[in-house]
């Protein structure tokens, strides 16, 4: 999915470059321009391209990167890193603040999700997977529990 979004963003960038160049070539060949139609069409194309890049790039980066979870035994902290609006956001949580891990299944989308539940009640999404990979998520949950207990 991340690769598809990357192709979409690259296509939008190419479109933003080629369409104005095409209009400039038409203006030169025609010996002038038809201001209302060509200026409006050029403006619309550039605005749509900018919108596609603005919306597609963060989605692409988040799909390609996801959430990175680092369990630091020496500092007894859990560090979560994810991309939000083109910047890397880090959150740090202490081991003692974790209540438990939880697997939740969504029947509509046929996916399972692993959550880290804090003592404050806050739920942090760690990962998702299709229902047929639920055994892998159970293994991940078991490994997290064993690591936090040790």
């Amino acid at each position: 999915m991340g690769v598809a979004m990357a192709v979409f963003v690259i296509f939008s960038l190419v479109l933003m470059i080629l369409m104005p160049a095409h209009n400039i070539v038409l203006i030169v060949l025609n010996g002038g321009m038809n201001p209302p139609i060509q200026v409006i069409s050029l403006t619309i194309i550039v605005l749509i391209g900018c919108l596609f890049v603005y919306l597609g790039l963060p989605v692409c980066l988040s799909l390609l990167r996801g959430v990175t979870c680092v369990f630091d035994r020496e500092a007894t902290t859990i560090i979560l890193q994810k991309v939000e609006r083109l910047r890397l956001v880090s959150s740090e949580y202490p081991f003692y603040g974790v209540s438990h891990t939880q697997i939740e299944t969504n029947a509509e989308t046929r996916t399972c999700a692993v959550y880290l539940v804090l003592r404050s009640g806050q739920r942090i999404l760690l990962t998702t997977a299709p229902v047929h990979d639920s055994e892998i998520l159970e293994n991940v949950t078991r490994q997290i529990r064993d690591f936090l207990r040790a």
Side-chain angles (χ1 to χ4, degrees):
M1 189 67 160
V3 173
M5 285 303 297
V7 170
F8 176 75
V9 169
I10 290 170
F11 177 74
S12 297
L13 286 171
V14 169
L15 180 72
M16 286 175 51
I17 294 168
L18 291 181
M19 287 306 291
H22 176 71
N23 276 352
I24 290 171
V25 168
L26 287 177
I27 291 168
V28 170
L29 290 177
N30 291 335
M33 69 180 213
N34 185 354
I37 296 173
Q38 287 181 332
V39 170
I40 291 172
S41 68
L42 179 63
T43 305
I44 289 172
I45 293 297
V46 170
L47 288 176
I48 290 174
C50 289
L51 181 67
F52 283 170
V53 171
Y54 177 76
L55 295 176
L57 195 57
V59 172
C60 174
L61 291 176
S62 66
L63 289 173
L64 290 173
R65 179 160 168 90
V67 176
T68 302
C69 186
V70 178
F71 291 88
D72 188 353
R73 188 177 298 279
E74 290 178 12
T76 64
T77 58
I78 300 168
I79 302 168
L80 296 175
Q81 298 175 330
K82 60 183 173 179
V83 175
E84 286 184 4
R85 296 189 184 127
L86 300 178
R87 61 187 178 98
L88 186 63
V89 177
S90 294
S91 303
E92 194 170 311
Y93 304 96
F95 281 179
Y96 65 83
V98 177
S99 172
H100 61 281
T101 56
Q102 179 181 13
I103 296 179
E104 207 172 273
T105 304
N106 186 336
E108 289 180 15
T109 60
R110 297 183 186 144
T111 58
C112 295
V114 175
Y115 288 93
L116 197 62
V117 182
L118 303 179
R119 295 191 191 282
S120 65
Q122 180 183 3
R123 293 168 18 125
I124 302 167
L125 177 66
L126 295 181
T127 188
T128 60
V131 172
H132 63 271
D133 288 338
S134 62
E135 292 178 16
I136 296 170
L137 292 183
E138 289 173 10
N139 187 25
V140 167
T141 303
R142 193 175 317 109
Q143 288 176 354
I144 292 171
R145 286 180 191 151
D146 292 343
F147 183 84
L148 291 175
R149 287 181 188 156

